[in-house]
Amino acid sequence: MPLDLNKIALENWRNDPNVAVEIAKRIQTTSWAESPFEALLGKGYDRGLKVHIVEGMNPFRPRLRPKLTGDGVEGNADFETNLDNFEILSQTMFPKLFGNSVKSEVKQYQSLKEIDFLHEATESLKTWVRESRDNHISTALFNDCTNVVVCDVANGFKDTATKASVQDCTRELVKGDVCNVKAIKRAIFMARTGERFNGEKAFPIKPLRAERKNNNGLQARVYNYAILLDSYAAAQLREDFEWKELQKMDKRGELNNLFTGFLGVIDGCPVIEIGNWSLTQSGLVSSEVSDEKYRKNICTENHKKITPPSYYNDTTPYGMGFLVGACGLIIGGSKTPKFYIDDKQDIGRKTICGIDNILSIAKGRFEATQGTPNIYADTDFAVIGIAHSKE
């Protein structure tokens, strides 16, 4: 959507520092509104993309409080006889400063031309902010998956019970292994039961929470996961007979007003088309994204291991979709970016507009603060990959 600057007195930017502040706020709001990841965004523990506001560049530690698992006490027993284990999980994240700028042509000192440049510059920088941030979200989702479902042309999904790693699973992918309903249902089942790709038990993934109102105005809570697919997987899914049958029973409109623009629903989980990352747009990572480009768009400090596209499969073109639950992704950043206007360039003949933003993005991968081993250690907290051939 276009950036709305109508109520900002752009012509007063030299004398009013609030002009640049208001532009930055509009860029932040509009860039998120245009992002396909916006539906997952929030500060609560039930959001797929959990936000932490940070103002400085110091490392920060987002925390997670798992549920209590003790039996408690009964009757006249003292609390001290059976204290529960109160554990706080956390991970360390390292913010980085991201910025970009554009320079005008030689100006003729006409106010109309200057304002036109401000309009065009802010629109372009808004798009850059969104695409840069979306690409960092995509690389974080894609990086070092610890659980995966691999699509299969014959059975819907491959039997990976004997595989030792996710990489071993994804390298089984061949042409014809397209995305389908069975594979997505398999990922949902694994999330709900806490099952890994090799059949080992881990922990159930906490679902997202969406709130809606029924026809009587009473509020109900709907619990589910989000399924994120690129455009190739979405097209493959539309050709699946089971998918076509499922959508005949799908309830849309106000019943799913949190998730806008989704393809449909599988087992109560909305399927959202994110698009494909290319030279001209942001989207989910596929084998077509070069390893070099991938490394330039990931916060390397937030990941112990970097797995570029060639890591999962270097012989078969493929894409990767994702099941995302609560706290699947963690994002830390400043509340709003900073916007700059400088008309002193080239001895005053040109103007530069720039923007920078503090940002840190990673998958939720929490560990116990006490240092004791736990089932969450070095494991994606709420993300399961869905690998498919790209065709």
Side-chain angles (χ1 to χ4, degrees):
M1 65 179 67
L3 196 63
D4 183 11
L5 301 175
N6 288 333
K7 295 184 179 181
I8 300 178
L10 296 179
E11 66 277 4
N12 294 333
W13 69 265
R14 289 182 180 84
N15 302 318
D16 185 359
N18 287 327
V19 170
V21 173
E22 287 301 316
I23 291 175
K25 290 180 180 179
R26 302 286 177 88
I27 288 176
Q28 182 81 330
T29 302
T30 308
S31 66
W32 271 118
E34 291 181 348
S35 171
F37 296 107
E38 192 263 346
L40 305 177
L41 189 69
K43 294 182 180 179
Y45 284 103
D46 57 0
R47 307 315 304 146
L49 182 53
K50 189 179 185 306
V51 176
H52 291 261
I53 302 300
V54 295
E55 296 301 336
M57 301 296 295
N58 293 327
F60 67 100
R61 294 176 66 84
R63 295 158 67 88
L64 180 71
R65 183 182 65 254
K67 68 178 183 178
L68 300 177
T69 57
D71 295 328
V73 296
E74 295 182 7
N76 196 40
D78 292 339
F79 282 132
E80 288 80 3
T81 62
N82 193 16
L83 290 173
D84 209 331
N85 181 28
F86 184 68
E87 188 175 37
I88 296 294
L89 308 177
S90 69
Q91 67 186 100
T92 303
M93 297 181 64
F94 300 85
K96 294 180 75 173
L97 188 65
F98 295 90
N100 201 0
S101 63
V102 292
K103 182 186 289 188
S104 72
E105 298 177 348
V106 174
K107 56 189 179 183
Q108 302 300 318
Y109 303 101
Q110 297 176 4
S111 60
L112 180 61
K113 185 170 184 179
E114 183 177 83
I115 300 304
D116 284 347
F117 171 69
L118 284 178
H119 271 284
E120 297 297 330
T122 53
E123 189 69 37
S124 296
L125 289 171
K126 177 259 302 183
T127 301
W128 178 85
V129 166
R130 174 183 59 79
E131 292 188 346
S132 175
R133 185 178 56 221
D134 285 358
N135 285 342
H136 277 79
I137 292 173
S138 294
T139 54
L141 274 172
F142 183 89
N143 194 69
D144 193 20
C145 286
T146 57
N147 206 1
V148 71
V149 174
V150 180
C151 297
D152 184 75
V153 64
N155 302 310
F157 57 89
K158 296 185 183 297
D159 181 0
T160 56
T162 60
K163 301 302 179 183
S165 68
V166 167
Q167 185 186 45
D168 291 340
C169 298
T170 55
R171 287 185 176 265
E172 293 292 310
L173 198 69
V174 296
K175 185 176 177 59
D177 292 335
V178 297
C179 186
N180 61 84
V181 172
K182 286 183 179 179
I184 293 175
K185 283 188 172 184
R186 174 61 178 167
I188 295 170
F189 176 80
M190 291 165 63
R192 288 174 175 166
T193 60
E195 185 174 321
R196 301 190 67 215
F197 64 89
N198 56 6
E200 293 180 358
K201 292 296 181 182
F203 53 89
I205 291 178
K206 183 180 177 181
L208 309 174
R209 187 188 73 198
E211 293 186 351
R212 63 176 175 83
K213 291 183 179 180
N214 66 15
N215 292 335
N216 296 321
L218 299 176
Q219 194 173 81
R221 291 179 178 179
V222 179
Y223 294 87
N224 46 37
Y225 305 106
I227 308 297
L228 312 182
L229 300 178
D230 66 23
S231 296
Y232 284 87
Q236 294 165 1
L237 195 61
R238 290 188 184 101
E239 296 302 314
D240 187 348
F241 175 78
E242 188 174 355
W243 169 263
K244 295 176 182 178
E245 293 299 308
L246 278 175
Q247 302 322 302
K248 292 178 181 179
M249 300 179 288
D250 177 28
K251 294 181 179 180
R252 301 194 178 215
E254 292 183 357
L255 292 180
N256 288 290
N257 58 10
L258 177 65
F259 298 96
T260 58
F262 58 89
L263 295 176
V265 174
I266 297 178
D267 288 355
C269 301
V271 182
I272 305 172
E273 182 177 348
I274 301 297
N276 286 80
W277 184 347
S278 69
L279 292 175
T280 56
Q281 69 176 16
S282 58
L284 293 182
V285 177
S286 71
S287 56
E288 287 190 0
V289 177
S290 69
D291 288 4
E292 180 183 9
K293 190 73 171 177
Y294 178 86
R295 292 179 186 277
K296 286 182 178 179
N297 286 272
I298 188 168
C299 300
T300 55
E301 297 85 351
N302 293 337
H303 301 85
K304 295 180 180 178
K305 180 180 179 182
I306 303 298
T307 58
S310 63
Y311 172 84
Y312 291 108
N313 194 315
D314 57 1
T315 59
T316 300
Y318 74 93
M320 188 87 79
F322 302 95
L323 177 147
V324 178
C327 295
L329 285 162
I330 308 297
I331 178 171
S334 49
K335 189 173 183 179
T336 57
K338 290 187 177 180
F339 190 80
Y340 307 91
I341 308 173
D342 180 6
D343 65 345
K344 305 300 183 183
Q345 300 296 309
D346 194 18
I347 322 180
R349 298 168 68 234
K350 300 175 183 177
T351 300
I352 283 184
C353 289
I355 192 168
D356 59 31
N357 193 19
I358 297 174
L359 193 64
S360 183
I361 299 175
K363 274 188 290 192
R365 201 172 271 197
F366 302 95
E367 298 185 4
T369 56
Q370 293 89 348
T372 57
N374 64 86
I375 59 174
Y376 303 103
D378 202 28
T379 301
D380 291 343
F381 183 70
V383 174
I384 297 176
I386 305 171
H388 60 88
S389 63
K390 190 170 185 287
E391 54 187 275

